[in-house]
Amino acid sequence: MARNVSTQTRIGFTALAWIVALLLFSPILWTILTAFKTEAEAIASRPTFFPETFTLENFSAVQDRSDYVKHAINSILVSVGSTLLGLAIGIPAAWAMAFAPTKRTKDVLMWMLSTKMMPAVGVLIPIYLIFRDLRLLDTVHGLTLIMTLINLPIIIWMLYTYFKEIPVDILEAARMDGAELWNEIVHVLVPMAVPGIASTLLLNVILAWNEAFWTITLTSGRAGTLTAFISSFSSPQGLFLAKLSAASLLAIAPILLMGWFSQKQLVRGLTFGAVK
């Protein structure tokens, strides 16, 4: 039975939600507006909210200084490639933990989750030396590999949660019909967990797209992503706020659009199995 909520309570919670949303969105809005200001207006001691002089020169200056398209393609290859590779590893791993658990399964899951609590700088030197020796520095496939390893615990944990909500009887019925392990995963399990897999894919694409520490550390120019593209506008000559905002807007625009159009699928997947 639905809870009866007064009109005043609904209005209050709605207003609170809008306030929180505006506070969260305000830095992005400020970046968008600053990208269309002149450099002098962006660094003025008395900042203006809306641009007094609307200009597109920052975007042309950004493209003249760095190749945006090349960095965008690298970001797409790394984020999508690492997520697909992670799913290829994570789906069988999550299946094993959800439907063929051992007494060590929970310990393994907690260990994987604990790796996300360790600061990235703690393993910087060994990973850098390994990448140097294997000639993976400043390569797209090297960056794809490290992004896969970083996000693999999240992929397995999310898929494990979704798979646990799938009735075991359905998989047993498929086995009784003669389905082999591969067919069971591909033709039975995966179609039933499409919302969870889709939300896992979207979330990890976003995480890989926004990763800055490893992309800046392990790349220089050839395999640089959009996070490295943004950092290049902070130089010893000064911090060019208008150009930096234009570069940031170009970098976040694709992922913002993807998140906006896929928000229903993302929310559906993240709440998959939450309501009994």
Side-chain angles (χ1 to χ4, degrees), residues 11 36 42 46 62 80 96 113 126 128 131 170 186 213 246 250 261:
I11 294 175
F36 296 99
R46 293 183 178 181
V62 164
V80 176
L113 190 62
Y128 186 89
F131 270 55
I170 297 178
V186 174
F213 179 81
L250 289 172
F261 288 110

Side-chain angles (χ1 to χ4, degrees), residues 34-58:
T34 305
F36 296 99
K37 297 178 181 179
T38 62
E39 201 64 59
E41 186 179 354
I43 63 173
S45 57
R46 293 183 178 181
T48 57
F49 187 72
F50 292 102
E52 293 181 354
T53 304
F54 189 88
T55 180
L56 296 175
E57 65 178 7
N58 297 317

Side-chain angles (χ1 to χ4, degrees), residues 30-31 34-35 39 42-44 58 233 238-246:
W30 186 264
T31 300
T34 305
E39 201 64 59
I43 63 173
N58 297 317
F233 288 89
L239 187 62
F240 301 97
L241 292 181
K243 295 179 178 60
L244 182 61
S245 298

Side-chain angles (χ1 to χ4, degrees), residues 75 78-79 82 116 120 143 146-147 150-151 204-217 225-228:
S75 288
V78 170
S79 58
S82 63
K116 298 297 296 179
L143 204 55
I146 193 67
M147 290 295 106
I150 290 171
N151 293 329
N204 283 275
V205 165
I206 293 172
L207 291 175
W209 186 281
N210 292 331
E211 174 62 38
F213 179 81
W214 291 111
T215 56
I216 295 173
T217 304
T225 61
L226 287 173
T227 50

